[in-house]
Amino acid sequence: VLLVTVTMSFSPGPSGPLGCTSIQEQRDRWERKRSRTARELVQTEQRYCQQLELVTTYFEEILKAKGTLRQDIRESIFSPIKAIHSVNQSLLVHLENGYFGRGFDQFCPHLHHYNTYVDNIYNASKMLGV
């Protein structure tokens, strides 16, 4: 039987006298981590919304305007992409304003749009001949 002991430290920096760090230093470290994570989440959501905007504008809307694809085929390919874009734009506004909890509370009931989108991938791929 092999017994391995793992020691984990949640403090990335050196500790103070006698191996202790002050409570304030720990709070400051966690605040920096929280801020970095929040900033990364906002930036990721911004990029995602930009990509959704490109899909809805340059693919769905242009194909609709040009009459390139019938409505039923467009819907089969793009499914609820506009609803997904709208929900994510709303989430982004909350995140950018620092209302993470409220944003996710309002976002979560709309996750069914992603289920619909994923369930439709086979049909969309078939329509596109992929």
Side-chain angles (χ1 to χ4, degrees):
V1 175
L2 178 63
L3 185 59
V4 177
T5 304
V6 176
T7 304
M8 293 180 62
S9 171
F10 292 104
S11 59
S15 51
L18 302 176
C20 297
T21 57
S22 75
I23 299 291
Q24 188 58 47
E25 288 172 331
Q26 290 174 349
R27 286 181 180 155
D28 291 345
R29 245 190 323 279
W30 282 105
E31 178 58 28
R32 285 191 301 273
K33 288 180 182 182
R34 188 198 66 77
S35 293
R36 186 173 51 242
T37 302
R39 187 172 47 254
E40 184 177 326
L41 181 60
V42 170
Q43 291 169 349
T44 300
E45 190 64 23
Q46 287 170 336
R47 284 190 302 273
Y48 182 60
C49 285
Q50 288 169 352
Q51 291 169 350
L52 287 171
E53 178 74 24
L54 290 173
V55 170
T56 58
T57 301
Y58 291 103
F59 291 100
E60 187 175 19
E61 289 300 319
I62 288 176
L63 290 173
K64 179 181 178 181
K66 288 185 173 186
T68 307
L69 296 174
R70 292 187 331 250
Q71 181 177 350
D72 62 324
I73 294 174
R74 274 194 330 272
E75 288 174 3
S76 178
I77 294 170
F78 295 105
S79 169
I81 198 78
K82 283 185 176 182
I84 289 172
H85 183 232
S86 176
V87 168
N88 280 88
Q89 279 294 123
S90 179
L91 173 61
L92 178 59
V93 168
H94 283 88
L95 296 179
E96 288 175 332
N97 290 308
Y99 301 121
F100 289 74
R102 185 180 306 153
F104 284 111
D105 278 347
Q106 291 180 7
F107 176 78
C108 288
H110 301 282
L111 286 172
H112 64 89
H113 293 302
Y114 283 94
N115 287 338
T116 303
Y117 184 79
V118 169
D119 289 344
N120 190 53
I121 285 191
Y122 174 76
N123 291 333
S125 297
K126 190 173 162 184
M127 284 287 183
L128 292 170
V130 176

